């Protein structure tokens, strides 16, 4: 039988972590949200409140559901606050050493039967699991951004992930009303293995002067019917995240076709990371986004 999950911990109160807390609370789970910065937790709670209010205005949920969900989310001041949770989902920055440090600090606070999941979009589940005291209870649960709107969740087993952990994770994701895609533990899994090389190729197309930012995005929106152009999407994801995934693909698969475009590297070095820094392939500091190239 699958292990029952009722209480969920989320580590990381950024865009992904707040979205995960949002959908978990709406699905009826008790949620504890932790971040190294208490201010980020406050900001996340305000964001969740605002996003749920928009769902009420669009009649996606009722005001009663919003209030009930908000009451289910509580700040976690320290790792010790996760002592009674059944599942912890790590959603920190996409850096392996950061995630491993979190697991090292977290594991002593967890009850033995607690499942530990990572929301990594590209890193090895097997390697991350080996940094914990419970590789058989470790799994990848990769949500898409923005979490409340995107229907898909990738579930990835590491080599040591137990059947009970796998079944419990699938049951949990199903209760969030998400569709599951099971991926093998290869660099970037399914979605990013396909999506990020496309974005990287779009950046090469810009780098080589084949088209402008506006031309490339318009071509893919109208020519391939994508809802968002690849450069606009890169800004939305975060250019630092795009670069991290491409580096994982390049190093993990040792194929030159995954080499990050030098222009992507240059933008990240400049601190132009997209929407979150208000500058990337578009400049977001004015009334409307303007292409930077």
């Amino acid at each position: 039988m699958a292990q029952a999950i009722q209480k969920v911990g989320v580590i990381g109160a950024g865009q992904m972590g707040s979205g995960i807390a949002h959908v978990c609370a709406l699905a009826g789970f008790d949620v504890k949200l932790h971040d190294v910065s208490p201010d980020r937790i406050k900001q996340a709670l305000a964001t969740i409140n605002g996003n749920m209010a928009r769902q009420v205005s669009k009649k996606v949920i009722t005001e009663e559901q919003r209030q009930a969900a908000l009451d289910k989310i509580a700040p976690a001041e320290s790792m010790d606050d996760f002592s009674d949770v059944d599942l912890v989902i790590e959603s920190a920055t996409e850096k392996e050493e950061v995630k491993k440090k979190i697991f090292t600090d977290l594991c002593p606070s967890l009850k033995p039967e607690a499942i530990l999941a990572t929301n990594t979009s590209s890193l090895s589940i097997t390697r991350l699991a080996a940094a914990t005291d419970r590789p058989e209870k470790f799994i990848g649960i990769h949500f898409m951004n923005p979490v409340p709107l995107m229907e898909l969740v990738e579930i990835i087993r590491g080599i040591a992930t137990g059947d009970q952990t796998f079944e419990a994770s699938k049951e949990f994701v199903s209760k969030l009303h998400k569709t599951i895609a099971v991926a093998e533990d290869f660099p970037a899994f399914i979605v990013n293995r396909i999506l990020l090389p496309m974005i990287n190729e779009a950046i090469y197309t810009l780098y080589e002067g084949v088209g402008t930012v506006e031309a490339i995005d318009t071509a893919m929106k109208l020519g391939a019917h994508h809802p968002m152009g690849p450069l606009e999407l890169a800004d939305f994801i975060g250019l630092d995240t795009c670069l991290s995934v491409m580096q994982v693909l390049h190093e993990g698969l040792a194929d030159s076709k995954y080499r990050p475009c030098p222009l992507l590297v240059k933008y990240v070095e400049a601190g132009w990371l997209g929407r979150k820094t208000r500058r990337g392939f578009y400049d977001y500091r004015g009334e409307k986004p303007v292409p930077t190239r």
Side-chain angles (χ1 to χ4, degrees):
M1 287 183 62
Q3 185 175 328
I5 294 172
Q6 295 177 318
K7 295 181 179 180
V8 178
V10 179
I11 297 178
Q15 192 171 31
M16 293 302 296
S18 62
I20 293 167
H22 176 139
V23 298
C24 289
L26 269 181
F29 294 98
D30 292 318
V31 181
K32 292 182 179 180
L33 181 60
H34 175 75
D35 196 281
V36 290
S37 167
D39 286 342
R40 288 195 75 181
I41 299 176
K42 290 179 184 176
Q43 291 168 6
L45 292 173
T47 298
I48 293 167
N49 187 15
N51 288 341
M52 286 186 182
R54 271 193 291 277
Q55 287 181 304
V56 171
S57 68
K58 294 178 180 178
K59 300 192 181 336
V60 175
I61 61 173
T62 65
E63 177 59 25
E64 290 73 20
Q65 286 175 311
R66 182 181 79 91
Q67 287 294 342
L70 290 174
D71 289 342
K72 285 189 168 292
I73 307 174
E77 293 181 3
S78 72
M79 297 297 187
D80 289 339
D81 290 336
F82 292 126
S83 61
D84 64 341
V85 302
D86 306 303
L87 166 69
V88 178
I89 303 171
E90 169 275 317
S91 186
T93 186
E94 194 69 356
K95 293 181 179 176
E96 188 165 331
E97 63 276 12
V98 172
K99 293 180 184 294
K100 286 182 174 179
K101 175 67 165 58
I102 288 170
F103 301 143
T104 300
D105 294 343
L106 171 65
C107 284
S109 299
L110 298 179
K111 59 187 181 182
E113 62 271 27
I115 293 172
L116 183 50
T118 176
N119 183 53
T120 181
S121 58
S122 62
L123 300 172
S124 166
I125 304 304
T126 297
R127 201 163 60 238
L128 291 175
T132 75
D133 64 355
R134 61 195 67 213
E136 74 287 349
K137 290 193 169 294
F138 191 94
I139 196 162
I141 302 180
H142 177 216
F143 292 83
M144 306 295 134
N145 186 29
V147 180
L149 297 179
M150 301 296 279
E151 304 92 341
L152 186 77
V153 172
E154 289 179 316
I155 292 184
I156 310 100
R157 298 179 73 156
I159 194 170
T161 305
D163 290 342
Q164 190 178 42
T165 300
F166 181 56
E167 293 303 325
S169 300
K170 287 197 296 181
E171 187 176 300
F172 163 72
V173 172
S174 295
K175 287 179 180 176
L176 302 181
H177 307 293
K178 302 291 187 186
T179 298
I180 295 167
V182 176
E184 293 299 319
D185 189 16
F186 280 85
F189 319 130
I190 296 172
V191 173
N192 283 337
R193 170 79 177 264
I194 298 167
L195 177 64
L196 265 298
M198 184 201 76
I199 290 174
N200 194 53
E201 193 62 30
I203 300 169
Y204 266 115
T205 305
L206 177 66
Y207 178 60
E208 294 168 4
V210 180
T212 63
V213 168
E214 199 167 23
I216 292 164
D217 277 351
T218 299
M220 293 307 292
K221 282 191 284 189
L222 302 184
H225 221 273
H226 290 191
M228 190 182 286
L231 301 176
E232 183 184 3
L233 179 57
D235 276 356
F236 181 76
I237 293 169
L239 302 192
D240 52 340
T241 300
C242 292
L243 178 58
S244 292
V245 175
M246 289 309 302
Q247 288 169 333
V248 167
L249 281 167
H250 192 220
E251 292 164 11
L253 299 173
D255 192 322
S256 61
K257 73 179 180 180
Y258 298 116
R259 184 172 73 97
C261 179
L263 184 61
L264 173 59
V265 175
K266 184 177 289 187
Y267 269 60
V268 172
E269 288 175 344
W272 293 15
L273 308 182
R275 285 180 178 267
K276 60 188 173 186
T277 59
R278 304 186 68 199
R279 229 188 313 192
F281 292 110
Y282 292 86
D283 190 326
Y284 300 92
R285 295 173 296 173
E287 288 186 12
K288 64 176 186 176
V290 178
T292 53
R293 288 179 80 88

